[in-house]
Amino acid sequence: MEPAANVPDRHTTMVMAYGDSNNMSYFLWQARALSQVGYRVYLFDYRGFGHSSDFAIDRQQLYYLEFTTDLRTVLADARQRYPHSRTGIIGFSMGTIMGSEVAATSKCDFLIAEGYVANLQQLVAAIFQRSQKVVTLPDAAADYPQVARRVYCPWLLIGGTADKNTPLADSVMVARQARWRQRRQVLCFEGGHLEGFYKLSEGEYGDKYVREVTRFLAGKRRGV
């Protein structure tokens, strides 16, 4: 989705990594809100989702390492297509797992993560306690706790005060663990899991959300 024609081009491409269900069409409103202020949004479907290649998925498994490969490939393609554009990732829920893994191992100019999954085991336990649903993890999930410390690009973590899936406190903790040369910031809102665009709306859908993202990318401090 290219920047809207009636606004200045910000020369910034956001690769959008969504959660563990649906397909990229479910995030068109978010993409539109970003494009309306001058961002290019690159949407894609993981293998096994939407119109992407078939992939056998165990519905009990939270995510697959192949999804990280998909995101890394799309990010590289975006950089190649738009070499003069600042290029990064905006991830939601499960997409923050792949987003942080790619940002830690690939050239990525920024990472925006709403509903950041900081503790996989804690999330699996919370899902079971709430719905008696058994969720499994790939073997490589054991290494996931080390990923965040290797993310050095600017990182905005967005979370809701009533988020029971990915508690805001986890995002705050990750931001506070930032070391030298790691710029991290938290933007919080009054609401639940993945309600950021809806809750941070004033005149139009997601307008305040997008303003805060723009403020962060410009290097201005705000949030918690």
Side-chain angles (χ1 to χ4, degrees), residues 37-73:
V37 298
Y39 294 109
R40 175 185 295 107
V41 185
Y42 194 136
L43 300 104
F44 76 102
D45 280 327
Y46 309 106
R47 65 189 73 188
F49 287 72
H51 289 291
S52 289
S53 302
D54 289 339
F55 180 66
I57 294 177
D58 179 354
R59 298 297 177 182
Q60 285 189 312
Q61 186 156 313
L62 182 63
Y63 71 103
Y64 283 84
L65 297 183
E66 286 84 352
F67 298 163
T68 301
T69 300
D70 297 341
L71 175 57
R72 182 178 292 109
T73 302

Side-chain angles (χ1 to χ4, degrees), residues 45-149:
D45 280 327
Y46 309 106
R47 65 189 73 188
F49 287 72
H51 289 291
S52 289
S53 302
D54 289 339
F55 180 66
I57 294 177
D58 179 354
R59 298 297 177 182
Q60 285 189 312
Q61 186 156 313
L62 182 63
Y63 71 103
Y64 283 84
L65 297 183
E66 286 84 352
F67 298 163
T68 301
T69 300
D70 297 341
L71 175 57
R72 182 178 292 109
T73 302
V74 172
L75 180 68
D77 184 66
R79 298 193 75 90
Q80 183 177 22
R81 287 174 183 265
Y82 312 105
H84 303 298
S85 176
R86 176 174 54 172
T87 305
I89 297 168
I90 179 167
F92 301 90
S93 193
M94 182 195 73
T96 69
I97 300 172
M98 283 74 77
S100 56
E101 289 181 335
V102 172
T105 55
S106 306
K107 181 172 175 51
C108 185
D109 294 327
F110 59 85
L111 174 61
I112 301 165
E114 181 180 344
Y116 174 63
V117 180
N119 189 318
L120 292 169
Q121 288 72 24
Q122 177 180 289
L123 175 59
V124 167
I127 292 173
F128 181 78
Q129 183 177 21
R130 185 173 63 252
S131 61
Q132 301 301 299
K133 179 181 177 181
V134 175
V135 175
T136 60
L137 298 169
D139 293 339
D143 299 325
Y144 183 70
Q146 308 304 317
V147 170
R149 64 194 302 270

